[in-house]
Amino acid sequence: MSTYPQRVADNILPLSVAGSLPEAFIEWYFTENIEDHEIADEDCELCDQEQLRYHFEIKNRHTNHRLWVGSSCILKFHVQVFDNGTLLDEKGSAKKLEDLKRKMRLDSCIKALRKLAASENNDILSNALDFYLKNKYLTPKFAFVVFWRLNSNKIDHSPSFFKVSLKKDKYKTDLAQMPLDRVHMIWPALSSSQRKLAVSYGHTPPIST
Ligand SMILES: [Zn+2]
């Protein structure tokens, strides 16, 4: 079995002009094309690492070859990332890729919410969609209804991508008073500090999350 650096070299060198690493990577840049495969089982065409949900396209400016890779490889191998024609530094590249992933997570939540609002004649669900579009988060009560109905309607979604807000006292009170089975339903969408807060209200975490 070939080693990790060997696999990367075997994948990138035949598509590059330079005959060695890291020189070959100087020819490559991120094209801004991204793809959400919905399920995390795609390979990175650079390192052959599996289980990627998001593919980022990189292109060689001399050979025009393209590869679909993971964002971590773009950062690890310093593949060039631009923003409006300006080459970004390491920190800027990381931020840009993270922002793109955040945008894809948001889009995937909105897609699921739109599907849900269209599948039931239910004002709560259309209100939840409007609320999410406006605020980019759900209240604990909205989150429970949304997850319950998404599951009932068998609509594909990633619960952990949704954001729940506990900023207002009312949201905190609603979470504190929520029956445990409902808390467990929204659990995947809670951040670790929100989970701690839920536990401080007397809720117990689900057995497996
Ligand atoms: Zn990779």
Side-chain angles (χ1 to χ4, degrees):
M1 217 171 110
S2 59
T3 62
Y4 178 86
Q6 189 57 49
R7 285 204 305 275
V8 171
D10 287 348
N11 284 329
I12 198 100
L13 292 181
L15 309 177
S16 308
V17 175
S20 62
L21 296 180
E23 289 76 17
F25 278 110
I26 298 168
E27 304 165 17
W28 292 78
Y29 65 95
F30 169 46
T31 64
E32 314 245 335
N33 289 330
I34 45 183
E35 199 164 351
D36 180 354
H37 293 281
E38 314 251 326
I39 300 166
D41 65 352
E42 293 293 319
D43 283 352
C44 169
E45 294 179 335
L46 199 47
C47 68
D48 298 333
Q49 179 200 328
E50 289 174 44
Q51 295 173 332
L52 293 175
R53 171 164 174 159
Y54 302 116
H55 259 157
F56 295 73
E57 190 192 52
I58 61 171
K59 185 179 173 185
N60 184 300
R61 60 170 59 81
H62 303 309
T63 65
N64 289 327
H65 281 297
R66 296 163 187 264
L67 288 175
W68 285 106
V69 307
S71 58
S72 58
C73 267
I74 291 184
L75 298 174
K76 190 183 296 170
F77 298 109
H78 308 289
V79 175
Q80 291 165 19
V81 177
F82 291 87
D83 195 46
N84 289 322
T86 306
L87 180 63
L88 298 174
D89 62 10
E90 206 167 325
K91 214 172 144 194
S93 301
K95 185 181 179 301
K96 173 156 181 158
L97 298 181
E98 198 41 59
D99 286 348
L100 286 169
K101 277 192 270 189
R102 193 177 305 123
K103 172 83 170 50
M104 283 194 282
R105 289 194 284 263
L106 177 66
D107 288 347
S108 111
C109 292
I110 289 168
K111 193 173 145 199
L113 283 169
R114 280 193 203 283
K115 232 187 238 179
L116 181 60
S119 67
E120 286 188 33
N121 188 10
N122 181 339
D123 283 346
I124 300 176
L125 300 178
S126 36
N127 289 341
L129 169 62
D130 290 343
F131 190 88
Y132 206 79
L133 287 171
K134 183 166 173 257
N135 301 294
K136 302 189 172 76
Y137 64 77
L138 292 170
T139 67
K141 282 187 166 178
F142 267 147
F144 159 66
V145 178
V146 162
F147 290 153
W148 170 41
R149 299 319 300 158
L150 281 171
N151 289 331
S152 301
N153 286 289
K154 298 191 164 54
I155 295 173
D156 274 344
H157 64 287
S158 307
S160 62
F161 286 4
F162 285 87
K163 296 212 180 307
V164 174
S165 173
L166 296 176
K167 271 181 274 181
K168 295 189 180 172
D169 286 345
K170 182 177 182 332
Y171 303 162
K172 291 192 180 80
T173 310
D174 288 345
L175 178 67
Q177 294 173 348
M178 196 174 263
L180 188 60
D181 58 333
R182 297 186 180 196
V183 174
H184 285 179
M185 193 165 266
I186 71 168
W187 196 265
L190 299 180
S191 67
S192 54
S193 60
Q194 289 176 329
R195 289 174 183 183
K196 271 183 202 147
L197 203 59
V199 168
S200 78
Y201 295 148
H203 296 307
T204 48
I207 301 300
S208 64
T209 56

